[in-house]
Amino acid sequence: GAGVSQSPSNKVTEKGKDVELRCDPISGHTALYWYRQRLGQGLEFLIYFQGNSAPDKSGLPSDRFSAERTGESVSTLTIQRTQQEDSAVYLCASSSRGDRVWETQYFGPGTRLLVL
Amino acid sequence: KNEVEQSPQNLTAQEGEFITINCSYSVGISALHWLQQHPGGGIVSLFMLSSGKKKHGRLIATINIQEKHSSLHITASHPRDSAVYICAGGGADGLTFGKGTHLIIQP
């Protein structure tokens, strides 16, 4: 079946502009995760959605970052007033039950964001 | 806050060599995941383990719970094994990732 997809693959924007990144999880997966990977760094957790529960937003670095998810499907990560330090690969993952400790997460290909 | 440390950061070896990548983790982590990130960026889960040892093909993962240490081994390494290998610890706050080990296998 289809894996996790993300769009766009690459995004170049100017400092101060807003960007929207999209993630389509694997059909039927209740949990969805957003991560950020800066050059040469490990993955950083941003936000976690599980079913209809309130999302865990504890990883969002500032109030310029927000994310939404429609039911158990598509999610959008929005970065407002982008800064150069927002340049990174943004990765989305999904899992079937949302067990954050034990469950395998399936990753999308990522969106490479470059803020000029 | 959970922590995960990997070593080495970079590893270059010749085809056929036995490869070992190490991961140490902090108290609070219950499960250890090994992931592979291909040069194109895609990430694939290799193993999840909480005790003992798991094997898949030429890949072997071990974990020592008392020492809070895990290793990923690759036997008979091949250039197609070249990738970044990431250790991640699963705890109450989700996964905490190591910085990865960049492995290059030369023919």
Side-chain angles (χ1 to χ4, degrees):
Chain A
V4 178
S5 61
Q6 292 186 245
S7 61
S9 301
N10 295 281
K11 176 74 177 177
V12 180
T13 190
E14 293 179 349
K15 178 181 171 181
K17 301 281 190 186
D18 297 352
V19 296
E20 278 191 358
L21 312 180
R22 178 187 167 109
C23 172
D24 282 90
I26 292 172
S27 178
H29 279 193
T30 63
L32 187 147
Y33 312 76
W34 282 100
Y35 298 99
R36 177 172 71 177
Q37 186 176 32
R38 288 172 160 156
L39 189 64
Q41 301 297 313
L43 275 74
E44 301 171 72
F45 165 74
L46 296 178
I47 189 168
Y48 160 69
F49 296 92
Q50 167 56 22
N52 295 318
S53 302
D56 176 358
K57 303 181 181 180
S58 61
L60 295 178
S62 76
D63 59 7
R64 296 186 296 104
F65 287 73
S66 63
E68 292 184 350
R69 187 182 187 193
T70 309
E72 292 188 351
S73 61
V74 172
S75 175
T76 302
L77 177 69
T78 302
I79 309 173
Q80 295 179 309
R81 304 181 303 281
T82 51
Q83 304 294 312
Q84 287 180 333
E85 63 261 29
D86 299 334
S87 296
V89 177
Y90 289 83
L91 289 151
C92 174
S94 70
S95 66
S96 60
R97 302 187 317 274
D99 184 323
R100 298 172 70 178
V101 178
W102 304 99
E103 205 173 20
T104 294
Q105 296 180 23
Y106 297 85
F107 285 81
T111 294
R112 282 166 179 73
L113 174 65
L114 177 61
V115 182
L116 300 176
Chain B
K1 186 178 175 185
N2 289 332
E3 293 183 349
V4 173
E5 296 286 337
Q6 274 186 251
S7 63
Q9 271 191 289
N10 297 283
L11 178 58
T12 299
Q14 296 299 120
E15 183 173 357
E17 286 189 38
F18 181 81
I19 303 299
T20 297
I21 298 169
N22 296 300
C23 177
S24 297
Y25 57 91
S26 60
V27 172
I29 287 173
S30 306
L32 207 291
H33 299 250
W34 283 99
L35 310 165
Q36 181 191 53
Q37 185 167 28
H38 299 291
I43 294 177
V44 174
S45 180
L46 297 174
F47 296 104
M48 190 286 293
L49 63 165
S50 57
S51 65
K53 178 178 171 179
K54 286 190 176 179
K55 184 174 189 292
H56 185 253
R58 294 180 295 105
L59 300 177
I60 303 165
T62 63
I63 190 168
N64 183 318
I65 298 168
Q66 286 72 32
E67 295 184 5
K68 299 199 177 346
H69 181 269
S70 176
S71 293
L72 177 68
H73 305 286
I74 305 175
T75 62
S77 59
H78 189 275
R80 64 174 175 264
D81 297 325
S82 298
V84 176
Y85 292 84
I86 301 168
C87 168
D93 295 332
L95 293 184
T96 301
F97 296 86
K99 290 187 177 180
T101 295
H102 188 193
L103 175 66
I104 297 173
I105 304 297
Q106 295 178 334

